[in-house]
Amino acid sequence: MSAVIVFCSLSILLVAGKIIRVAIPVLQRLYLPSSVIGGAVGLLMISLLGDKLPSGVIPAMKQLPGFLINVIFAALFLGTVTPGLKAIFKMALPQLCMGQMLAWGQYVIGLGITGFLLIPLFGVNPAFGNLLEIGFEGGHGTVGGMSGTFNQYWNDGIALGYTVATGGMIFGILLGMALINWALNKKIISSVRTFNERDRSEKLGIYREQDRPEAGKQTVFSDSIDSLAWHIALIGLSIFLGFIILKCLQTAEIKLFPDNQTRLFSGFPLFPLCMIGGVIIQQFCQKMKVEYLIDHGQMQRLSGAALDFLVVSAVATIQLSVVAENYLPLLILMAAGVIWSVILLLFVAPKIFKQAWFECAIAEFGQGLGVTATGLMLLRTVDPENKTVAAASFGYKQLIHEPVMGGGLWTAFALTLVFSFGWMPVWIFCTVMLIVWGIISLILIRKH
């Protein structure tokens, strides 16, 4: 019964979030997603009525993001036929440099501030610094996916991670729009469609009937299997492959190192391996020449639906008491992360990118603070008709960046490593990686 209540409650919150966004123009102007608004309504309701809700509802709601992130990562590359790594690097290396410096810098700043400042002053957990990249670059889904690791080592990390993710999304949108207005006044960009220039349907976030895009193509006849069910099943199969990979890694670690007290894969999250499972299925279909059976449009819609339900459940279940106890360290951490993103955009991006530097950089800025969707929203604002190379460059860069950072393999490993070996070794490694990408960027700058 609790599953029914959870599903209905989240559906009500999403609809309420959309209605509130339509009714309040300032929320439209701020481009706040309905899922965040609905989640805030849910957070208020749970705070007021938490004791009166049926038992099991809130725990079930808290577990949902950890499951839905598996769906999102499993669908990431399904239906996408990608070029080789050499071609991707050639087309997207400047974008990759920007994204990697931003992400590694979040670790260097987050872990450094935590180790050198926040631990001595406030006694925070050593993994507090990981929250910057997990929450900003990874977002609510990544925090939810790491819930197993957090529950094993640090329960309060989930609530704090959701708070950083929510703050990052809001900062990303508000600062991103402010930077776009600055660039417009400086005549750095010219293709911006301001909020006032948009028609009423765009402001409300509703497609006009004649402009509605397709949600995807059906690839199989419904008398054999419904096309949507087929794509959901492929996502499920990708998650299953990821689960098998995780169990094999855990078993191999025990067999190879039976005497070790530290187990890197015991708390390793499932979702990065679901992405690998999806890649395996996509590659298999390409080898068998049946890749036409997978439509990326349908995968994107399934992934988007999972993300909306994930965000609304994540925001609604934030533990305000934990946030209140750590508000000052959180503010210091997030402020440092925001400053790093702004510095990269204003002072590094103009030198790295050979053309359309602001369009390319604002996408990275949005992703670095508020996940990929925010980056794409800001990019669409400055380049609505894809007249620059930014959209293609950003898309190709994701093929290399996503498997590693922002919820990728390193994001998962870094948290486990901090819990196992402390923050200092991880901070040193991240500093080295930031220097490496800085050197690559300097080489690019010299070529330009």
Side-chain angles (χ1 to χ4, degrees), residues 196-364:
N196 293 329
E197 292 174 337
R198 297 172 184 238
D199 60 36
R200 177 171 168 74
S201 63
E202 285 182 283
K203 293 177 181 179
L204 297 178
I206 300 172
Y207 283 111
R208 291 177 296 185
E209 188 172 356
Q210 65 271 24
D211 296 330
R212 292 175 182 172
E214 293 182 349
K217 299 286 188 180
Q218 297 189 57
T219 60
V220 292
F221 280 97
S222 57
D223 58 359
S224 61
I225 182 173
D226 183 82
S227 184
L228 195 61
W230 165 251
H231 285 76
I232 293 173
L234 290 176
I235 290 175
L237 184 56
S238 301
I239 295 173
F240 177 64
L241 289 177
F243 177 78
I244 291 175
I245 294 171
L246 179 59
K247 289 301 176 184
C248 289
L249 290 172
Q250 291 172 344
T251 303
E253 185 179 34
I254 293 172
K255 295 288 187 183
L256 293 173
F257 309 102
D259 299 327
N260 277 14
Q261 297 297 317
T262 301
R263 297 292 180 195
L264 292 178
F265 289 103
S266 62
F268 195 83
L270 175 60
F271 67 92
L273 303 177
C274 295
M275 175 179 59
I276 295 175
V279 171
I280 291 172
I281 290 178
Q282 178 65 31
Q283 290 295 319
F284 175 79
C285 289
Q286 288 178 210
K287 293 290 185 184
M288 301 299 294
K289 301 189 184 304
V290 292
E291 67 274 11
Y292 56 86
L293 294 176
I294 309 175
D295 178 67
H296 190 58
Q298 289 209 40
M299 288 299 178
Q300 285 183 307
R301 298 285 63 78
L302 289 169
S303 177
L307 180 61
D308 276 336
F309 275 95
L310 185 156
V311 171
V312 73
S313 60
V315 175
T317 55
I318 291 174
Q319 291 178 272
L320 293 178
S321 59
V322 175
V323 177
E325 292 173 3
N326 296 272
Y327 78 95
L328 192 52
L330 279 174
L331 288 176
I332 294 172
L333 187 74
M334 288 193 286
V338 169
I339 291 171
W340 171 244
S341 298
V342 172
I343 288 173
L344 281 182
L345 185 143
L346 294 180
F347 300 106
V348 179
K351 296 178 175 62
I352 290 181
F353 296 105
K354 195 171 184 179
Q355 52 183 315
W357 74 264
F358 187 85
E359 289 86 346
C360 293
I362 199 66
E364 294 304 323

Side-chain angles (χ1 to χ4, degrees), residues 6 9-17 20 34-50 53 57-58 61 311-320:
V6 168
S9 299
L10 295 179
S11 300
I12 291 170
L13 290 176
L14 276 174
V15 173
I20 292 170
S34 300
S35 55
V36 173
I37 299 169
V41 174
L43 180 61
L44 178 63
M45 298 300 294
I46 289 175
S47 300
L48 295 175
L49 306 172
L53 294 174
V57 170
I58 296 178
M61 198 178 290
V311 171
V312 73
S313 60
V315 175
T317 55
I318 291 174
Q319 291 178 272
L320 293 178

Side-chain angles (χ1 to χ4, degrees), residues 136 149 262:
F136 274 15
T149 309
T262 301

